[in-house]
Amino acid sequence: MIGKLWRKLKRRRAWPKKDFTGASFSEIQTHIQSENLTGDLKETEAKIREAFGNSPDVTFRYLRLGADLKMELLITHLDGMVDTNLISVGVIRPIVEEQATPWEDLPSGKMAHSLLKQRLLETTGIKETDSLAEILEYMSSGFCMVFVQDVPWAIACEVRRWAERNVSEPATEASIRGSREGFVENHRVNTSMLRRLIASPQLWLEELQIGAVTKTVVTIAYIKGIAEEGVVEEARRRLQSIEVDSILESGYIEEYIEDAPYSPFPTILRTERPDKVAAALLEGRVGIITEGTPFVLVVPASFTHFLMASEDYYERYPAGSFIRMLRLLALFISLTLPSFYVAVTTFHQEMLPTPLIMSIAAQREGVPFIAVVEAVFLELSFELLREAGIRLPKVIGPAISIVGALILGEAAVRAGLVSSAMVIVVAATAIASFASPIYSMAVSVHLLRFPMVLLAGSLGLFGVLMGLSAILIHMSALRSFGVPYLEPLAPTIFSEWKDALIRAPLWMMDRRPQSTVQKEPIRQDPGQKPTPPK
Amino acid sequence: MPRLYKKWICIILSSTLLFLGGCWNRREIETLAFVTATGIDGAAEPKKVQVTVQIAKPATLVASAMGGVATERSFWLVSSTGYTTFEAIRNFAHQSSRRLYWAHSQWLVFGEELARRGIEDVLDIFFRDGETRQTAKLAIFKGGKASDFLQTELEMERLSSGAYLGILQTGTGAQSTVVDVDLRQFLIALAGEGIEPVAIRAESIDRPPDVDIRGQMERTTISRAPRITGAAVFKGPKLVGWFDQPETRGYNWIMGKVKSGIIIVERPEVSDKYVGLELMRARSKLKPEIVEGRPSATVIVEAEANVGDIQAMFEVTDTTRMMSAMERRMATVIVNEIMAAVDKAQRELKSDVFGFGQAIYQEYPKEWRRLREDWNDRGFPELEVKTEVTVKLHKTGLTEIGLPMRR
């Protein structure tokens, strides 16, 4: 017994020398952090191999330099993360050409190191480090490492390139007029899109690394001098306080930094349209760009922002205003239409005009379920269809939606399982819910629909109004990075109504929204309304 | 147990309170029988009331998915009796598989016999109960029982209650020779000081036998057709008589309820020919006066009309004179209509349905105290009613007054 334990302990103590068998993640991490470079290239290679567990994509190459080619160099990178052309042209070729130069004597490793750094390496980004942990990190993000014999530190050359998606039209926020460009997964490409839209040095970017394992790069973007320092500081503080192992999508970040984690409503706007982010930055908001996802977060965001599409500003203002109000109506319909229907048909039959109630009564004739059950059943099957339509391969997706929507609905009505009025109500609700420009808001409303229907089925319109008041009270209590959620409606700021439910002409919007911009309130000179020449 | 859980348990438990009442008062739409019209008569047994309801059969009203419309009758007529209206209504429970639902009852019809006896004993439930509507039209069926009226079918509509609403609407809009009275207006007039209520007059007329009235729906031959014209005049809760068409328009003139109508006047310049004038707008005012203790009232009417049609259209010599002549003649017609209504109410019916008393009460409250005692039987019949009618003719249609003659 004791002997067994002893052997176990012995094995543990002996472990770093061989491999990491039985070691936990953090144990390996502390081990790697304790390691330093010695200048022995063979040992360095061994250490790197060991750290990557002999992964086949870790590539090593030895070169020689100096008189009689005595000076040994080691070049290593992760295959697939780097531009191999750039390595051969910018790293290897200068070294090989230098070999032709006769060296009088063997220079010290330090000299060779600075020679490499200052003259030979032809890549743009060059960094230096002496810790193994950082070396591994650089390699993981697509750097090529150059080690010189007897020098206990390394040069990292930026040669990253990997396969990525081309810039394409945003899938979730298509528009008729306006840019067809959507963000991609590469955050550097994303920041470049913002830079192209806002060609000002005051577009400031700050980079953070979040995620102990994934080391995801997260960039805060804002316009210095327009964005409130407090908001930027708050965003920075919240991001820095995230201590997690992984960030795979901006949704992770959203959940860790949002103001109301229990609320069904999103308090952070997410978009894949660069123009939308640029517009938000120009209003003093802060963008949070995450590596690996085309979805950029924008804070602070109030409820009205979830009704806006960037197209509102590109089409002329009457169309923009009309569509915006239509969206609010659609949101309201998708929240309340089934519950109103249930309430009216089970409690308040006097509220409908006689011909309409007769028509509904005729359809309900012989339907075996009470209206609430019917509504919940149909709503659930609609949600199911929607989900199936999204997940299915593109080729059979439409087929499913046709089968589901048309055939299933028609068959259910014919079989007398549901009434056709309810099918119409659910269909209208579905259409209304698709009018929401931001999917996350549409989803919250989808979810709220079910309690609303249950309230309607148990308490009638009284229940519906109770539900609506609860939602309203909840919404007016929400905040997003210090800005009230219902602003400018609930803390009533009339001057900002010109860009809330309606979209006033651009020449009327002389001031930036005062909730997010205090220092630089003037957006444009007043009196920009076009007039005929005098 | 941590505090947090306690809080949540409290919230959850108290929110279940909301649902503990269950689905109180829930009534699924298919368990309801929608009453579309209610008729009330005296029952065969003495002291009892007979309530007849017209219940819509929804399935027959909607074209089914298979196409086509059901050929059966779209309503079910069922009667029940009781000592009070409420009891009679409850007694329907023994006959109807579904609960009677009254919010869509659009008509409240009384048989003439019951109306003459007085309707105050049967009316109460209709405004005491929350489910019935006071917007239901109140009608008296002349010369028959209310149940007979509800039984009549119409050619155009499947549900007669809706059809009657249509007749009422077109009648008001086109000729103003009907009154449009709902339960609420009736009650206000019934309870009002110095005013008596009127109700809609419904009757049924014989079909001329030579007209083929069988439609495509192959229903039983309709031998009697309903008609809604005129007004039923009440004195208190009792029916005392009827206004015919011209008198009803006279009544509407005084009440300011004339919306439209064709006024026929004799053709100026040519004898035995007529001109139809289309009334476009009318305003009226009731001005009471008391001179030396004698009350009198003036009805002031301002009417605007267009020329509708002219007989002998080529024989117009003086347009201006003809216009003013037509205006004068139209004013005379209006005065005649007003006086016909007033005369009948004063002499024959002795019921101040116009609210002259009410106008006096509002203008001279002190004198009214003396007059109110037997206003309907002494004061009102002796009331001097004057008229001031001005008519303005505006448009002559797409042409001038007289058409130019081709030579």
Side-chain angles (χ1 to χ4, degrees):
Chain A
M1 180 76 195
I2 291 171
K4 216 175 178 183
L5 208 85
W6 177 244
R7 272 199 298 282
K8 212 172 176 182
L9 271 174
K10 220 171 139 187
R11 208 166 42 237
R12 280 199 110 172
R13 211 188 280 158
W15 139 100
K17 294 288 169 223
K18 299 280 178 193
D19 55 3
F20 294 128
T21 314
S24 79
F25 184 84
S26 46
E27 280 167 348
I28 297 172
Q29 235 180 359
T30 33
H31 170 69
I32 287 171
Q33 256 149 20
S34 66
E35 289 283 342
N36 277 315
L37 291 186
T38 51
D40 182 349
L41 295 186
K42 287 284 173 218
E43 197 193 327
T44 308
E45 183 192 337
K47 276 179 183 163
I48 291 173
R49 274 194 195 282
E50 186 187 32
F52 277 112
N54 256 325
S55 301
D57 57 342
V58 190
T59 328
F60 297 93
R61 162 139 195 207
Y62 285 92
L63 285 173
R64 280 174 183 277
L65 191 69
D68 305 331
L69 301 178
K70 281 281 168 53
M71 183 71 64
E72 201 168 26
L73 304 178
L74 170 62
I75 297 171
T76 176
H77 65 265
L78 283 183
D79 198 21
M81 302 280 292
V82 294
D83 185 349
T84 42
N85 273 334
L86 193 56
I87 291 184
S88 52
V89 173
V91 180
I92 297 178
R93 187 185 292 163
I95 295 172
V96 173
E97 279 169 2
E98 189 69 21
Q99 287 171 348
T101 323
W103 290 42
E104 279 153 25
D105 53 351
L106 184 69
S108 71
K110 277 182 189 172
M111 269 181 66
H113 180 91
S114 55
L115 178 74
L116 277 170
K117 199 175 81 180
Q118 285 162 13
R119 199 152 68 80
L120 293 183
L121 296 179
E122 290 182 8
T123 58
T124 47
I126 278 193
K127 287 181 173 132
E128 265 185 288
T129 179
D130 63 347
S131 90
L132 183 65
E134 271 183 52
I135 287 168
L136 297 174
E137 232 169 79
Y138 278 129
M139 286 179 70
S140 302
S141 59
F143 279 76
C144 159
M145 309 302 302
V146 180
F147 301 93
V148 183
Q149 186 187 322
D150 299 331
V151 180
W153 58 83
I155 308 173
C157 314
E158 193 185 334
V159 288
R160 64 178 101 191
R161 199 179 90 167
W162 45 78
E164 59 187 30
R165 197 168 58 92
N166 288 329
V167 175
S168 62
E169 187 164 3
T172 60
E173 287 166 278
S175 74
I176 295 169
R177 184 168 176 177
S179 151
R180 297 265 186 272
E181 215 176 55
F183 283 124
V184 292
E185 283 74 8
N186 184 333
H187 85 283
R188 186 50 73 227
V189 176
N190 291 350
T191 56
S192 78
M193 287 184 206
L194 286 182
R195 286 256 188 234
R196 264 189 292 138
L197 285 171
I198 306 173
S200 160
Q202 263 142 295
L203 170 58
W204 282 17
L205 304 175
E206 275 175 35
E207 224 169 72
L208 282 90
Q209 249 186 14
I210 308 179
V213 181
T214 58
K215 307 242 166 39
T216 310
V217 177
V218 175
T219 308
I220 310 176
Y222 58 97
I223 297 185
K224 178 72 183 171
I226 292 181
E228 280 304 307
E229 301 287 347
V231 175
V232 178
E233 176 53 41
E234 182 62 22
R236 192 184 297 134
R237 192 188 63 74
R238 290 192 194 182
L239 286 175
Q240 277 166 352
S241 63
I242 302 177
E243 297 283 350
V244 291
D245 62 338
S246 63
I247 298 289
L248 293 181
E249 213 274 340
S250 53
Y252 286 42
I253 294 181
E254 184 177 347
E255 269 192 54
Y256 282 113
I257 66 171
E258 67 188 341
D259 286 74
Y262 288 121
S263 170
F265 289 99
T267 50
I268 293 175
L269 190 75
R270 57 127 198 84
T271 177
E272 47 175 333
R273 293 190 64 92
D275 52 351
K276 204 164 185 172
V277 176
L281 298 187
L282 289 165
E283 280 186 348
R285 298 178 208 286
V286 175
I288 299 169
I289 305 160
T290 312
E291 172 70 36
T293 175
F295 289 100
V296 171
L297 304 179
V298 172
V299 293
S302 68
F303 175 67
T304 51
H305 291 121
F306 290 90
L307 299 174
M308 297 178 185
S310 39
E311 206 170 336
D312 297 355
Y313 300 89
Y314 306 152
E315 280 302 334
R316 295 187 59 250
Y317 66 91
S321 305
F322 172 69
I323 290 170
R324 215 175 255 187
M325 282 186 280
L326 204 65
R327 282 195 207 110
L328 183 67
L329 181 73
L331 203 70
F332 190 74
I333 286 177
S334 81
L335 178 64
T336 58
L337 186 65
S339 44
F340 267 122
Y341 177 81
V342 167
V344 167
T345 54
T346 49
F347 288 94
H348 316 279
Q349 289 91 352
E350 67 277 7
M351 283 190 63
L352 293 180
T354 309
L356 183 57
I357 199 79
M358 292 297 164
S359 170
I360 293 174
Q363 290 165 18
R364 291 275 307 153
E365 203 100 2
V367 173
F369 306 112
I370 59 173
V372 199
V373 174
E374 201 188 355
V376 171
F377 170 66
L378 267 183
E379 284 291 343
L380 277 179
S381 49
F382 158 67
E383 295 289 318
L384 198 66
L385 275 175
R386 192 177 54 80
E387 182 63 18
I390 295 172
R391 301 294 157 229
L392 273 173
K394 283 256 170 0
V395 267
I396 51 172
I400 265 290
S401 55
I402 289 167
V403 168
L406 296 178
I407 301 172
L408 194 68
E410 173 72 17
V413 170
R414 286 214 176 205
L417 290 177
V418 294
S419 63
S420 41
M422 185 62 88
V423 173
I424 294 167
V425 164
V426 170
T429 312
I431 291 167
S433 71
F434 288 134
S436 178
I438 306 286
Y439 187 67
S440 52
M441 179 56 88
V443 170
S444 344
V445 171
H446 282 201
L447 290 180
L448 286 174
R449 204 147 67 201
F450 290 97
M452 290 291 285
V453 167
L454 293 181
L455 275 174
S458 53
L459 296 166
L461 277 187
F462 173 68
V464 175
L465 286 184
M466 240 170 44
L468 283 180
S469 343
I471 290 172
L472 194 67
I473 290 168
H474 169 70
M475 281 172 85
S476 38
L478 288 182
R479 273 164 181 280
S480 171
F481 284 76
V483 176
Y485 198 49
L486 285 183
E487 187 273 345
L489 308 173
T492 311
I493 308 171
F494 282 115
S495 62
E496 281 178 33
W497 282 33
K498 60 179 184 275
D499 191 16
L501 298 181
I502 59 159
R503 201 279 280 177
L506 291 177
W507 39 262
M508 279 172 75
M509 296 197 238
D510 295 334
R511 287 168 166 273
R512 299 196 170 93
Q514 65 186 65
S515 52
T516 45
V517 182
Q518 270 115 50
K519 278 173 297 195
E520 201 73 35
I522 307 295
R523 193 193 324 241
Q524 64 191 17
D525 285 339
Q528 302 266 338
K529 182 184 173 190
T531 46
K534 296 231 166 74
Chain B
M1 181 184 278
R3 222 167 221 164
L4 192 70
Y5 287 121
K6 256 186 199 164
K7 190 179 107 184
W8 277 105
I9 284 171
C10 279
I11 290 174
I12 291 166
L13 284 183
S14 50
S15 64
T16 53
L17 272 180
L18 278 177
F19 299 94
L20 275 183
C23 304
W24 176 79
N25 217 8
R26 180 178 67 86
R27 12 168 226 235
E28 288 297 323
I29 200 163
E30 64 272 17
T31 63
L32 299 179
F34 290 95
V35 176
T36 52
T38 315
I40 300 180
D41 294 298
E45 303 105 308
K47 288 188 174 176
K48 275 199 170 183
V49 193
Q50 182 190 26
V51 178
T52 309
V53 289
Q54 189 191 65
I55 294 169
K57 293 196 245 172
T60 63
L61 288 169
V62 181
S64 68
M66 307 300 169
V69 183
T71 50
E72 60 179 308
R73 208 159 70 158
S74 284
F75 56 86
W76 176 41
L77 210 66
V78 58
S79 298
S80 162
T81 56
Y83 282 100
T84 68
T85 321
F86 196 32
E87 194 207 346
I89 287 172
R90 275 293 158 92
N91 283 340
F92 278 118
H94 306 301
Q95 300 177 63
S96 171
S97 57
R98 299 182 181 185
R99 179 186 176 284
L100 262 58
Y101 187 67
W102 296 81
H104 288 275
S105 174
Q106 294 159 323
W107 286 88
L108 185 55
V109 185
F110 295 93
E112 179 172 356
E113 192 204 325
L114 179 74
R116 290 214 184 259
R117 286 214 311 264
I119 59 172
E120 79 267 42
D121 291 338
V122 294
L123 207 54
D124 184 78
I125 181 77
F126 292 100
F127 54 90
R128 194 177 293 281
D129 189 74
E131 203 171 284
T132 52
R133 285 206 180 170
Q134 299 194 9
T135 52
K137 305 293 181 196
L138 197 137
I140 312 297
F141 187 47
K142 189 182 176 191
K145 294 188 79 178
S147 52
D148 298 334
F149 179 66
L150 297 186
Q151 197 141 26
T152 43
E153 287 179 64
L154 280 99
E155 283 293 323
M156 298 291 286
E157 319 284 335
R158 298 192 61 87
L159 210 55
S160 52
S161 57
Y164 294 143
L165 281 185
I167 294 177
L168 196 64
Q169 232 163 41
T170 52
T172 325
Q175 284 287 36
S176 303
T177 52
V178 295
V179 288
D180 184 352
V181 181
D182 61 27
L183 185 56
R184 182 173 162 276
Q185 289 162 331
F186 186 86
L187 287 171
I188 288 173
L190 187 59
E193 178 101 13
I195 188 164
E196 299 299 331
V198 294
I200 298 163
R201 182 177 82 166
E203 55 193 337
S204 81
I205 51 168
D206 286 331
R207 288 275 187 196
D210 55 333
V211 179
D212 176 24
I213 41 97
R214 259 176 303 178
Q216 290 176 328
M217 289 199 269
E218 292 178 24
R219 281 182 282 170
T220 49
T221 306
I222 302 163
S223 57
R224 296 184 63 78
R227 194 170 74 162
I228 293 173
T229 56
V233 179
F234 277 73
K235 189 176 183 179
K238 286 192 170 70
L239 175 74
V240 288
W242 312 97
F243 274 162
D244 289 326
Q245 289 199 15
E247 293 149 8
T248 307
R249 187 145 70 194
Y251 167 82
N252 280 336
W253 281 120
I254 299 172
M255 306 305 279
K257 282 178 182 166
V258 171
K259 290 200 180 92
S260 178
I262 305 297
I263 311 270
I264 301 295
V265 299
E266 272 180 33
R267 169 82 158 81
E269 295 176 341
V270 187
S271 57
D272 278 343
K273 301 277 182 188
Y274 297 97
V275 175
L277 300 172
E278 188 189 4
L279 189 71
M280 297 312 288
R281 210 166 303 145
R283 272 189 303 276
S284 49
K285 223 163 81 181
L286 236 172
K287 216 175 114 193
E289 242 179 335
I290 293 189
V291 183
E292 295 168 2
R294 279 182 53 82
S296 68
T298 313
V299 180
I300 303 161
V301 174
E302 287 169 33
E304 292 169 35
N306 293 343
V307 177
D309 61 347
I310 299 179
Q311 290 180 337
M313 58 187 176
F314 294 122
E315 293 155 47
V316 177
T317 46
D318 189 338
T319 310
T320 329
R321 261 191 36 211
M322 178 148 163
M323 287 288 267
S324 56
M326 288 193 296
E327 284 175 355
R328 274 196 312 277
R329 286 174 190 205
M330 180 168 159
T332 316
V333 170
I334 294 175
V335 169
N336 287 344
E337 283 177 350
I338 292 175
M339 290 319 291
V342 171
D343 274 356
K344 191 164 194 179
Q346 281 183 326
R347 305 246 158 77
E348 197 182 308
L349 308 173
K350 295 196 192 310
S351 169
D352 182 10
V353 286
F354 312 103
F356 286 120
Q358 192 176 48
I360 292 171
Y361 171 41
Q362 282 162 1
E363 202 87 354
Y364 305 97
K366 283 185 189 137
E367 278 83 348
W368 174 250
R369 229 174 281 160
R370 175 175 59 82
L371 291 168
R372 65 175 291 186
E373 218 20 69
D374 49 356
W375 172 251
N376 271 324
D377 294 315
R378 275 232 351 259
F380 172 63
E382 288 164 17
L383 179 79
E384 188 192 347
V385 177
K386 288 173 282 192
T387 50
E388 275 175 34
V389 178
T390 46
V391 173
K392 187 80 198 135
L393 278 180
H394 283 304
K395 294 171 186 163
T396 60
L398 294 181
T399 163
E400 293 166 25
I401 284 209
L403 291 182
M405 179 128 176
R406 197 191 305 155
R407 290 177 198 281

